[in-house]
Structures are given as structure tokens and as C-alpha cells.
Amino acid sequence: LALLAVALGLGGLRAEQTEEHLKREHSLSKPYQGVGSASSGLWDLLGNAMVMTQYIRLTPDVQSKQGAVWNRVPCYLRDWEMQVHFKIHGQGKKNLNGDGFAIWYTKDRMQPGPVFGSKDNFLGLGVFVDTYPNEEKQQEAQKRRYSPGNQRVFPYISAMVNNGSLTYDHERDGRPTELGGCTAMVRNLNHDTFLVIRYVKRRLTV
């Protein structure tokens, strides 16, 4: 998975205005020189993440790898918009190239764990790009029929807000704590996928 750009700016702006309101301390854009080094001061790398000039690769195309890029600077904006450009690609068969990734807006950072590479019982917002149907595959393995009414089409994007007391149910792909979600065909495309997360006037839009 290559994470291509992250930019956090003030929410509620027209597209042509966004560029001039980007917050440098929260923005990550090409060329990615110095990201993750002590001299950069703004971003930390975790796990198998690797920085190239034109992209940041979170994981190699190998099983059981995790990687992350975390911003070091706390964000105190009341209204904000985050733009993420990314690609998910690999040699794996359908539904077999990784479990997915998350975009975190949380109090805690750099804490590896079972929820798309980060800690469970987090405090804040997680937006999950889930590429593997754990619940469906588990029921297939148990020779149980998967109800079409409950079926999701993967990859699937969902959002969860946690006050620190909720546990992400990995086996059910986060259903019990999901705020909302939708299908998004984002795997092995020739072009970048553009994801916008906006929080304005206490309203979350993905």
C-alpha cells in the first residue's frame, strides 16, 4: 500500500481555497525527503513503512507486515478537513492482499496494536479501509451460510468514534461500533484514490 499524500486544512472551504489554508505542520506531500528522520520533526515512521521520493509505502507485498506514518504535532482545530491520496496494490488474489489500513485522528499515537496496526480502545476517530471480509470468511470456514442481507462488498470503508471504552470487533469487521460505511473499489487501480474526511460544525463526512 502506498500512501501518497496527507493534508489537513481548515474545514468548510471551497476546493480552490483549500490549498492556501493547508496546515504545514499537519501536511505530508511530495517530495517526501526527510520524513521520519529526526531532522524533519513532524512525522514518525513505524514498522515496515518506507519513504521514497514520490511515495510512502506502508507495507511491502508480503504477509503479516504493518507500517504507519504518524504526525508528531497535536491538532487543535475545531473544524478540519483531511485529504488522503493512496493506492492499494499487490500480487495477492482478490481479498487476499492485506487486511486494509486506517486513518487515525486520535489522542494516542505510535502504539502498535490489533486494529489495522494500531491500538484498540483508542480515544478519537478511526476511518477504516477494510480489504478483507473476516466475518464472511469465518462463516464459510465453519460451513455456515452467510446471510445475503448482511453481506458487504469489499473493500469497505467505515468510521468509528471511540471514547476509549469500545473494542473494535475484528472478526465482525467492526459492525457493532460502525457509524456508517460504504463499498469502495480501491484495489489495484491504475490511478490514485482520493479520500476526504471532513469534520465541520460537529458533522463528520467521509
Side-chain angles (χ1 to χ4, degrees):
L1 185 152
L3 180 63
L4 298 180
V6 176
L8 184 63
L10 298 176
L13 300 171
R14 296 194 305 271
E16 63 271 17
Q17 290 179 305
T18 305
E19 191 69 32
E20 62 193 63
H21 291 281
L22 291 181
K23 295 292 187 180
R24 179 176 294 182
E25 66 271 26
H26 301 305
S27 297
L28 183 58
S29 55
K30 299 176 189 176
Y32 299 113
Q33 296 161 332
V35 174
S37 66
S39 59
S40 166
L42 298 178
W43 298 87
D44 285 318
L45 296 183
L46 190 66
N48 299 109
M50 180 183 292
V51 178
M52 311 299 277
T53 308
Q54 294 300 309
Y55 64 89
I56 296 173
R57 189 183 70 191
L58 295 182
T59 66
D61 192 12
V62 180
Q63 273 188 321
S64 304
K65 300 294 182 183
Q66 295 183 352
V69 181
W70 285 94
N71 191 203
R72 295 178 183 172
V73 184
C75 179
Y76 298 111
L77 296 171
R78 184 172 58 184
D79 292 344
W80 50 269
E81 177 181 287
M82 183 185 301
Q83 303 171 6
V84 185
H85 298 224
F86 67 91
K87 280 186 177 179
I88 299 176
H89 53 89
Q91 298 301 313
K93 297 176 183 177
K94 183 183 178 186
N95 292 332
L96 289 176
N97 49 350
D99 209 34
F101 74 97
I103 300 164
W104 299 102
Y105 187 81
T106 58
K107 182 178 180 182
D108 300 309
R109 59 186 292 279
M110 297 289 286
Q111 296 189 23
V115 185
F116 296 97
S118 194
K119 65 172 286 187
D120 205 349
N121 301 105
F122 58 91
L123 191 63
L125 167 70
V127 175
F128 310 121
V129 181
D130 194 343
T131 57
Y132 187 80
N134 291 288
E135 184 176 21
E136 181 179 346
K137 295 302 179 185
Q138 184 181 21
Q139 293 199 9
E140 283 179 8
Q142 296 170 352
K143 308 295 187 195
R144 291 165 56 194
R145 187 175 176 196
Y146 193 73
S147 171
N150 295 328
Q151 194 166 10
R152 295 171 171 174
V153 177
F154 284 73
Y156 187 82
I157 297 179
S158 64
M160 173 183 176
V161 171
N162 199 342
N163 61 5
S165 68
L166 301 174
T167 297
Y168 179 84
D169 189 341
H170 201 69
E171 291 184 355
R172 296 191 61 203
D173 300 308
R175 280 180 194 268
T177 52
E178 166 188 302
L179 291 176
C182 65
T183 296
M185 294 296 119
V186 296
R187 187 191 285 114
N188 290 327
L189 303 177
N190 292 326
H191 55 270
D192 301 347
T193 297
F194 183 61
L195 177 64
V196 179
I197 304 167
R198 184 179 293 121
Y199 185 74
V200 178
K201 296 180 180 177
R202 301 175 63 85
R203 179 181 173 86
L204 177 69
T205 309
V206 178

